[in-house]
Amino acid sequence: MQETGNIKLGISIGDLNGIGCEVVLKTFEDSRMLDFCTPVIFASNKTISHQKSELGLDINYNGIQDASKAIDGKINVVNVWKETPVVSFGVPTPESGKYAIQSLRAAVEALKNNEVDVLVTAPINKNNIQAEDFKFPGHTDYLAQELEGESLMFMVTDGLRVGLLTDHVAVKDVAANITPRLIRSKITTISNSLKMDFGIRKPKIALLGINPHSGDNGVIGKEDDDILKPVIKEMSEKGHLVFGPYSADSFFGSDNYKNFDAILAAYHDQGLIPFKTLSFGKGVNFTAGLNKVRTSPDHGTAYEIAGKGVADNSSFKEAVFMALHIFKNRKEYKELTGNPLKKHKLKRQG
């Protein structure tokens, strides 16, 4: 873990045929970013050289063999592979998927070994990453296996935080996957994250209904009455400020979301459509609940503009700043809750 110097920011490079390299390099083309962190990119010298040449970017970097050799004040590139991958911008290929996974695995290993402090992941393609030894629908599921804790897909931006009860699950399977145990776990995870990662002492959480109009008292499905409402009541009695279930169709349009510190959506599109509508380009995907900090931009590989030099790096930059912010908050939270004198002081101030 970081003790002195800049926070070491591990970066997995994503799909080489997408915009991953471009948004990463554009972010650190601004040398002022090196005042905030020390970037450690998991790829290779040859790959980064080829990408910066193709994209016309003017940056210098320091090639290293492992993350522990990263130098503050420089863009560091860990040589994960020696060969030169074939890059075909805009085309998902098995090769680009293979290198995306190599980069991710190396970055996660460095994170587990405390050679980097946080991880920011560039976009991957969920199809071409599949292999005999890698069968995960996305980053979150892989990180949940490799790191400690209960993972939660948490989309965050200024004034809006949306968590998901179920993430990469087919719509037809959503209701069957939502159990009282899952709801309790996600509420606890989101509540702990709001306290530890965002400095909110008494978080208010809203749950969205599973069915249209939250089931209309059983007329449009019984899951909300039979599963959600009893757990919300139970968690409220235990001291959690949990409310709902709210009808999802009007919740965001009425600005009701502004009354809560976080919203827990029942499934992927129910939460991500309004989130991306309200914040696209500035949103961050944060994997809450794990013992390490991981963020990513709120967009995908964007093959249609890959290699053209027109990709907007705003969301990736936001992901960098969010990772640094959460890392610092966690460190402060640990110090305040671990030191009896500071804990007493915090209680008196509250």
Side-chain angles (χ1 to χ4, degrees):
M1 192 63 70
Q2 180 250 4
E3 296 294 341
T4 59
N6 272 356
I7 296 172
K8 287 190 167 48
L9 183 103
I11 299 168
S12 62
I13 208 65
D15 193 309
L16 297 178
N17 294 341
I19 63 169
C21 278
E22 182 177 350
V23 297
V24 171
L25 298 180
K26 278 183 174 177
T27 295
F28 293 101
E29 193 176 26
D30 182 349
S31 61
R32 293 174 298 180
M33 292 295 293
L34 301 179
D35 294 335
F36 300 105
C37 63
T38 298
V40 184
I41 302 170
F42 291 82
S44 75
N45 288 340
K46 290 178 181 177
T47 294
I48 297 303
S49 177
H50 173 264
Q51 290 270 347
K52 78 167 205 170
S53 175
E54 287 289 316
L55 297 165
L57 299 174
D58 182 25
I59 64 163
N60 296 313
Y61 57 88
N62 174 49
I64 54 178
Q65 293 309 308
D66 62 79
S68 64
K69 308 296 187 201
I71 298 173
D72 286 346
K74 293 183 180 295
I75 299 167
N76 298 273
V77 177
V78 178
N79 281 291
V80 179
W81 51 81
K82 294 179 180 178
E83 65 275 17
T84 305
V86 175
V87 174
S88 303
F89 285 120
V91 182
T93 64
E95 186 174 37
S96 66
K98 180 183 79 170
Y99 288 106
I101 293 311
Q102 283 189 30
S103 174
L104 177 62
R105 281 188 158 139
V108 171
E109 198 60 31
L111 186 66
K112 289 162 66 174
N113 293 334
N114 297 319
E115 294 172 346
V116 295
D117 298 304
V118 297
L119 173 64
V120 182
T121 59
I124 56 175
N125 179 309
K126 292 177 177 60
N127 291 319
N128 68 1
I129 60 168
Q130 302 304 318
E132 279 302 315
D133 58 347
F134 195 95
K135 296 183 183 295
F136 299 93
H139 284 114
T140 305
D141 307 86
Y142 176 66
L143 293 165
Q145 173 189 282
E146 294 296 311
L147 303 174
E148 298 170 13
E150 295 288 335
S151 68
L152 170 81
M153 188 173 178
F154 206 9
M155 305 300 291
V156 294
T157 189
D158 290 339
L160 179 60
R161 304 178 189 91
V162 178
L164 302 179
L165 274 176
T166 61
D167 42 54
H168 298 125
V169 173
V171 173
K172 67 181 177 64
D173 299 325
V174 166
N177 275 271
I178 296 177
T179 63
R181 181 179 178 182
L182 176 72
I183 301 164
R184 290 188 203 102
S185 172
K186 296 299 184 183
I187 290 173
T188 301
T189 298
I190 208 169
S191 179
N192 289 341
S193 177
L194 289 168
K195 293 173 185 175
M196 180 171 64
D197 301 328
F198 298 94
I200 299 168
R201 291 182 63 236
K202 293 182 177 180
K204 288 177 64 179
I205 302 165
L207 265 71
L208 300 183
I210 299 170
N211 296 299
H213 307 295
S214 298
D216 259 346
N217 295 314
V219 176
I220 316 175
K222 297 181 179 180
E223 290 85 359
D224 295 278
D225 288 342
D226 294 348
I227 303 173
L228 277 184
K229 288 180 182 179
V231 178
I232 291 172
K233 183 174 183 290
E234 173 196 325
M235 298 299 281
S236 296
E237 289 171 351
K238 290 181 178 179
H240 291 277
L241 299 178
V242 183
F243 305 88
Y246 292 98
S247 181
D249 63 345
S250 59
F251 185 81
F252 293 93
S254 65
D255 283 350
N256 197 10
Y257 72 91
K258 294 180 180 178
N259 297 316
F260 300 93
D261 298 302
I263 297 98
L264 193 52
Y267 55 94
H268 188 278
D269 284 13
Q270 185 190 64
L272 266 63
I273 288 174
F275 179 85
K276 292 189 177 185
T277 300
L278 292 167
S279 67
F280 198 76
K282 294 184 179 178
V284 175
N285 181 358
F286 164 47
T287 308
L290 299 178
N291 64 323
K292 299 287 187 180
V293 177
R294 174 263 175 167
T295 63
S296 73
D298 66 357
H299 58 74
T301 52
Y303 290 125
E304 66 277 7
I305 59 169
K308 297 179 181 178
V310 298
D312 185 345
N313 66 306
S314 300
S315 183
F316 188 87
K317 185 180 282 190
E318 290 291 334
V320 169
F321 282 126
M322 184 67 71
L324 302 179
H325 179 66
I326 292 170
F327 180 81
K328 290 173 183 175
N329 279 353
R330 281 193 182 185
K331 193 173 182 182
E332 183 178 336
Y333 181 85
K334 187 176 181 181
E335 289 172 355
L336 289 170
T337 55
N339 184 316
L341 292 176
K342 287 184 178 180
K343 190 175 182 180
H344 180 65
K345 183 180 177 183
L346 181 68
K347 190 175 181 180
R348 287 181 64 187
Q349 289 175 341

